[in-house]
Amino acid sequence: MELSHRFRIWGFTILLIFQSVYGFYLPGSYPHKYAVGNELWVKVNSLTSIDTEIPFSYYSLPFCEPPNGIKDSAENLGELLMGDRIENSPYRFKMHTNESEIFLCKSGPLDADRLNLLKKRIDEMYQVNLILDNLPAIRYTKKEGFLLRWTGYPVGIKVKGVYYVFNHLKFKVLVHKYEEPNVARVMGTGDGAEVIPTVAKADSDVPGWIIVGFEVIPCSFTHNVDAVKNLNMYDKYPTAIKCDPTTVAMAVDDKKPIIFSYEVEFEESDIKWPSRWDAYLKMEGSKVHWFSILNSLMVITFLAGIVLVIFLRTVRRDLTRYEELDKEAQAQMNEELSGWKLVVGDVFRAPDHPALLCIMVGDGVQILGMAVVTILFAALGFMSPASRGTLVTGMLFFYMILGIAAGYVAVRLWRTIGCGDKTGWVSVSWKVSCFFPGIAFLILTTLNFLLWGSHSTGAIPFSLFVILILLWFCISVPLTLIGGYLGAKAPHIEFPVRTNQIPREIPAQKYPSWLLVLGAGTLPFGTLFIELFFIMSSIWMGRVYYVFGFLFIVLILLVVVCAEVSLVLTYMHLCVEDWKWWWKSFFASGSVAIYIFLYSINYLVFDLKSLSGPVSATLYLGYSLFMVIAIMLATGTVGFLSSFWFVHYLFSSVKLD
């Protein structure tokens, strides 16, 4: 009876989940129903520019402030780290009620400092970012017959040496009639609980609307200063305001105020709530060239497959020939050994700086695991662009949790290199928890001082710094130590052959081995450089990146190619009697980071031509350096672990004592 009751509860729970998820749009929040006449308040985000990449507060310029004062909206950790500062604004609408000629406010006379700051922001092409019901304001423009989409609108424009500000906004809010979701009701108690069809709510007869679009047209209009002397906020402007986006009229000048106004129009749309983000995901320049990327991936996969097949056939034929010989022939062959068989007594000799290698591999496991889990969740829709900051927040969360895996792998590898010796596992665990976070902390702190000096909202507040340090030392470090403890308890991997006391001399090579290692990174780079362009455009050009499912495929392909490249390079080094394969296998695939950094410099020079100022360039290069270090650790770990598995398998398949 008890078992039957539990099964029934679980069955009901699963059914309820499916019922509630049916027709539910995973990214973002649940649709909010508004009745006609309900107040809608627009929020403002930081001012942004692709010219400087330094965000500033909306109220750093002489814009109108809300009647009840400026208040910060609820923000998550990811939004703060990304430089988002969402605040309330004075723009107020009434659902499904068109309004025009709404007076907002009159700024005070512009002094020299505020005037120069406003002109500077116009020169630097700063955009105003507005949000309504979690939808950014979108602006449409036509250029050479094409319809271009932009988020936000420019602060102003400079025409023939004169600066004009956009002081009148024409809003269009697209609404769709609210549809009652098909959520099942539960009736009965105890074992009699059952699911019945939806029952209409008492207020379901009241007309309701949901917001599915938010558009803005900025205009520059010269108001009559005398006509607004006795007007309060939201009063109607006494004369008609013609919003013509093709002309400018409100020139900014010293000692003159700026008058702001707006109008709003509601339009019923066929767009349904799950599709309301389509306009942003299809913005000009963010469309992924599917055929080009797919073609590139197919070529890379084909070449890597050929290399892997040839490689496996070569090794297997070598092993088969040896195993088919009788003992006398094997003894004779041992005297004439060549290639990788000669380094049997040195192949598992401890590498230089073994602790550093273990630390980097541990951090690489942590970063790679974080990337895989985060991109997988993003592909499933849990971290879509509709949920600002969740991607960065998720990355931090998964990174801290995976500290257990980092400590475990690093300590177990440390014990394997030391032939089971547990000495120093606490030190290794501690260094794993501090190595990459310490590098990240150093880079981000340096960049943060630059942002602080620029008074940018992108600067991390001191309170957030304290929170990050607490997360680091109170969660990440203890979890890494727990992982290290588990690694110290786990059995170490035993080497299949003995190591000689005297190391074998490595023959002189025709070419530097490190040159081949550094060149090996070109193949992994070829698998991701096209996708890298769209990721860079999303970060630095303000475009929306949303194809996380495809990015997950690219990530898996990158892991496979890194493993293949490292295997091939390791085998080639062993064949020329070079037994120092540990670090070379790590950098054979990790060297892809070098090409990504060079590509970042190329992107800065040729694609971010408008990026101005040494602070902006330093920020770009600093964040790029942080990114490539993380990529080097992740890809290098893939190469090392695959090579370690191969070398262990190779020398355990044949005994050469």
Side-chain angles (χ1 to χ4, degrees):
M1 185 65 181
E2 181 68 20
L3 186 61
S4 174
H5 178 64
R6 290 184 179 179
F7 273 120
R8 188 172 298 180
I9 292 176
W10 277 107
F12 159 71
T13 305
I14 294 172
L15 179 60
L16 185 61
I17 291 173
F18 275 103
Q19 287 281 347
S20 61
V21 171
Y22 178 74
F24 181 75
Y25 180 51
L26 198 55
S29 58
Y30 195 77
H32 191 173
K33 172 185 173 182
Y34 298 95
V36 175
N38 284 166
E39 286 190 346
L40 306 172
W41 291 92
V42 176
K43 297 180 180 180
V44 293
N45 203 342
S46 300
L47 304 175
T48 56
S49 170
I50 61 173
D51 185 63
T52 65
E53 302 294 347
I54 303 175
F56 290 100
S57 170
Y58 173 84
Y59 293 106
S60 63
L61 295 181
F63 291 129
C64 301
E65 297 185 3
N68 297 326
I70 302 172
K71 299 177 182 178
D72 291 334
S73 296
E75 295 172 315
N76 56 48
L77 189 61
E79 284 181 316
L80 292 171
L81 292 175
M82 293 297 292
D84 290 337
R85 296 295 184 273
I86 301 176
E87 300 165 310
N88 60 335
S89 82
Y91 292 103
R92 182 194 66 183
F93 309 151
K94 295 179 181 178
M95 172 55 75
H96 223 302
T97 304
N98 296 340
E99 297 177 282
S100 60
E101 291 92 31
I102 304 175
F103 168 73
L104 200 60
C105 77
K106 181 184 74 171
S107 71
L110 297 178
D111 55 26
D113 292 338
R114 292 174 73 84
L115 178 64
N116 292 332
L117 180 62
L118 185 58
K119 290 181 177 180
K120 183 180 179 182
R121 296 292 180 260
I122 294 174
D123 283 334
E124 293 171 338
M125 300 184 294
Y126 269 87
Q127 302 278 323
V128 178
N129 300 293
L130 306 178
I131 302 170
L132 178 65
D133 193 43
N134 200 37
L135 280 180
I138 194 170
R139 176 171 55 96
Y140 292 91
T141 60
K142 286 187 177 180
K143 183 178 181 181
E144 299 177 357
F146 293 98
L147 186 66
L148 305 179
R149 304 175 181 89
W150 313 85
T151 53
Y153 67 91
V155 172
I157 191 172
K158 182 179 180 182
V159 180
K160 296 181 180 179
V162 181
Y163 292 88
Y164 297 89
V165 67
F166 292 116
N167 60 332
H168 179 82
L169 300 180
K170 182 178 181 180
F171 295 104
K172 179 188 287 187
V173 182
L174 304 181
V175 295
H176 186 81
K177 194 167 185 179
Y178 182 80
E179 299 172 359
E180 189 74 20
N182 183 26
V183 180
R185 292 293 186 90
V186 181
M187 293 190 65
T189 57
D191 295 339
E194 56 181 325
V195 179
I196 65 171
T198 303
V199 178
K201 295 182 180 179
D203 61 348
S204 61
D205 294 333
V206 179
W209 302 90
I210 56 176
I211 298 172
V212 295
F214 183 38
E215 302 174 8
V216 62
I217 300 176
C219 301
S220 181
F221 183 81
T222 302
H223 296 83
N224 188 340
V225 178
D226 296 329
V228 300
K229 284 184 177 180
N230 299 321
L231 293 182
N232 296 319
M233 185 176 287
Y234 308 124
D235 286 347
K236 193 173 181 64
Y237 191 74
T239 60
I241 299 177
K242 183 181 179 182
C243 181
D244 185 3
T246 60
T247 61
V248 288
M250 183 59 207
V252 293
D253 201 358
D254 192 16
K255 305 301 182 183
K256 289 186 178 181
I258 302 175
I259 299 172
F260 294 90
S261 60
Y262 71 97
E263 60 185 282
V264 58
E265 173 190 0
F266 287 83
E267 180 181 304
E268 295 185 20
S269 172
D270 294 332
I271 300 173
K272 294 188 176 182
W273 193 82
S275 304
R276 67 179 193 158
W277 271 86
D278 289 356
Y280 304 90
L281 303 183
K282 296 178 181 177
M283 293 183 65
E284 189 68 24
S286 66
K287 182 179 180 181
V288 179
H289 301 88
W290 291 96
F291 178 78
S292 176
I293 295 179
L294 187 59
N295 180 67
S296 175
L297 294 178
M298 289 178 64
V299 171
I300 294 297
T301 306
F302 180 70
L303 292 176
I306 292 178
V307 171
L308 185 60
V309 169
I310 294 175
F311 170 59
L312 290 177
R313 289 186 62 185
T314 302
V315 175
R316 179 163 296 185
R317 186 176 61 247
D318 212 356
L319 287 174
T320 304
R321 281 181 52 200
Y322 184 84
E323 291 172 355
E324 289 177 350
L325 298 176
D326 55 25
K327 292 184 179 180
E328 183 177 348
Q330 285 184 12
Q332 182 179 358
M333 186 176 180
N334 286 341
E335 298 176 359
E336 302 172 358
L337 288 179
S338 61
W340 58 269
K341 308 175 195 67
L342 289 174
V343 297
V344 63
D346 299 275
V347 68
F348 290 108
R349 188 178 301 279
D352 298 331
H353 312 292
L356 180 60
L357 178 62
C358 296
I359 292 166
M360 294 176 71
V361 170
D363 279 328
V365 168
Q366 191 173 7
I367 294 169
L368 182 63
M370 176 268 294
V372 171
V373 177
T374 302
I375 295 175
L376 180 60
F377 272 84
L380 294 175
F382 290 100
M383 300 175 183
S384 76
S387 304
R388 276 179 301 274
T390 55
L391 186 66
V392 176
T393 305
M395 291 172 66
L396 281 174
F397 174 77
F398 292 130
Y399 180 82
M400 290 188 298
I401 295 299
L402 288 169
I404 296 177
Y408 177 84
V409 172
V411 170
R412 195 172 183 197
L413 179 61
W414 169 255
R415 292 188 60 225
T416 298
I417 294 176
C419 299
D421 187 9
K422 297 181 181 180
T423 305
W425 73 266
V426 176
S427 175
V428 171
S429 301
W430 171 255
K431 291 176 182 176
V432 168
S433 64
C434 296
F435 181 72
F436 177 72
I439 294 175
F441 189 81
L442 179 63
I443 294 176
L444 296 180
T445 302
T446 304
L447 298 181
N448 209 54
F449 278 117
L450 296 178
L451 292 171
W452 268 336
S454 303
H455 305 287
S456 169
T457 59
I460 301 175
F462 179 76
S463 59
L464 183 57
F465 251 109
V466 175
I467 292 173
L468 291 175
I469 292 175
L470 290 176
L471 290 174
W472 180 6
F473 286 100
C474 297
I475 298 179
S476 182
V477 171
L479 289 177
T480 307
L481 290 173
I482 291 174
Y485 174 78
L486 296 176
K489 291 294 183 180
H492 69 282
I493 302 173
E494 295 185 0
F495 296 140
V497 293
R498 294 194 300 268
T499 300
N500 297 334
Q501 293 184 353
I502 302 176
R504 181 184 179 87
E505 183 179 356
I506 300 175
Q509 307 297 325
K510 296 181 180 179
Y511 50 84
S513 59
W514 282 102
L515 186 63
L516 188 60
V517 169
L518 296 178
T522 54
L523 190 57
F525 177 73
T527 65
L528 55 80
F529 81 96
I530 297 179
E531 195 69 18
L532 185 62
F533 169 79
F534 293 101
I535 296 175
M536 300 284 281
S537 298
S538 171
I539 296 174
W540 301 107
M541 301 293 286
R543 296 168 183 168
V544 180
Y545 187 86
Y546 62 98
V547 285
F548 290 102
F550 198 86
L551 180 61
F552 185 75
I553 297 174
V554 172
L555 177 62
I556 298 301
L557 185 60
L558 175 65
V559 169
V560 173
V561 174
C562 286
E564 293 172 346
V565 166
S566 185
L567 288 178
V568 173
L569 264 293
T570 299
Y571 182 69
M572 291 177 62
H573 282 104
L574 293 179
C575 285
V576 294
E577 303 175 28
D578 185 354
W579 47 267
K580 294 184 177 182
W581 59 272
W582 301 78
W583 281 107
K584 292 173 184 176
S585 66
F586 185 93
F587 287 111
S589 54
S591 61
V592 66
I594 298 175
Y595 300 95
I596 293 177
F597 190 71
L598 293 176
Y599 179 84
S600 301
I601 296 176
N602 174 81
Y603 189 85
L604 173 65
V605 174
F606 295 101
D607 293 275
L608 293 179
K609 297 178 182 179
S610 62
L611 197 66
S612 61
V615 175
S616 300
T618 304
L619 288 172
Y620 175 86
L621 293 175
Y623 287 126
S624 298
L625 180 63
F626 169 71
M627 177 184 68
V628 299
I629 290 175
I631 293 175
M632 180 201 69
L633 292 173
T635 54
T637 296
V638 172
F640 171 79
L641 293 179
S642 58
S643 292
F644 182 85
W645 169 84
F646 164 72
V647 173
H648 190 278
Y649 173 79
L650 180 63
F651 284 90
S652 62
S653 300
V654 56
K655 302 298 181 181
L656 296 171
D657 292 329

